[in-house]
Amino acid sequence: MKKGKKEKVARFGVSLEEGLLSELDRIVRLNKFSNRSQAIRNIVRENIVKSEWMDSRETAGTITLVYDHTKRELMTRLTHVQHHHHDMIISSQHIHLDHDNCMEVLIIKGRPQEAQKLLAAMRSIKGVKYGALSMATMAGRLP
Ligand code: NI
């Protein structure tokens, strides 16, 4: 959908068991949604991204790492892991945060499970203080 262009809203009735309805209201309260419709919208969007992820052969995303480069063997291990996954790393950027700490951002493309394995392998290296995977989407099914 083009940014700024408002999509037409459709209304529909929902039948729900009372137990499920109170769970929905709990979700509304927990997330501070303004109403049930907003909660349902959010649940649908989350599910689209999730299922796209699980089914997809290929997805794109980034891995962000923060590590202490002075830790012994860290750079060697990190390079080794990245070479092992060379086919999924499209590019990487290294920033020297301060005297000891570095930040590295990898742009990746590949199977979601492989991306999670790559993150786990790097995060388990001693000296890596932070590691996060942000999965974007190939946007195939997102309206
Ligand atoms: Ni550095």
Side-chain angles (χ1 to χ4, degrees):
M1 192 179 66
K2 274 185 192 132
K3 223 181 165 183
K5 198 186 169 198
K6 217 155 195 265
E7 202 175 359
K8 206 176 155 199
V9 175
R11 289 180 195 281
F12 66 102
V14 180
S15 306
L16 220 53
E17 286 78 6
E18 278 181 7
L20 274 180
L21 183 60
S22 66
E23 282 302 310
L24 179 63
D25 288 336
R26 200 175 60 87
I27 292 169
V28 171
R29 282 195 308 275
L30 274 174
N31 294 278
K32 302 196 190 307
F33 290 135
S34 47
N35 50 47
R36 289 172 179 163
S37 293
Q38 198 186 0
I40 291 171
R41 258 179 243 128
N42 196 62
I43 291 165
V44 171
R45 281 204 195 93
E46 269 177 11
N47 271 274
I48 293 171
V49 173
K50 206 160 138 194
S51 66
E52 195 185 49
W53 246 74
M54 297 320 260
D55 309 339
S56 64
R57 291 177 162 276
E58 199 178 47
T59 188
T62 59
I63 290 178
T64 306
L65 298 169
V66 173
Y67 55 81
D68 180 347
H69 78 94
T70 65
K71 279 271 186 286
R72 223 173 134 252
E73 295 290 303
L74 178 137
M75 295 306 290
T76 312
R77 287 189 181 131
L78 209 54
T79 305
H80 180 80
V81 170
Q82 291 189 20
H83 275 271
H84 188 71
H85 292 85
H86 68 90
D87 51 337
M88 80 177 317
I89 301 172
I90 295 164
S91 90
S92 68
Q93 189 154 25
H94 183 117
I95 296 111
H96 310 304
L97 291 177
D98 57 30
H99 190 270
D100 294 341
N101 296 300
C102 305
M103 182 167 88
E104 206 163 301
V105 180
L106 311 177
I107 298 178
I108 58 163
K109 209 171 141 194
R111 285 178 178 274
Q113 297 96 322
E114 288 302 310
Q116 277 163 328
K117 275 188 206 161
L118 172 58
L119 172 69
M122 292 192 294
R123 218 160 37 180
S124 69
I125 297 168
K126 208 176 166 189
V128 174
K129 297 175 173 180
Y130 175 82
L133 170 64
S134 170
M135 273 301 191
T137 165
M138 302 292 270
R141 283 176 3 221
L142 272 186

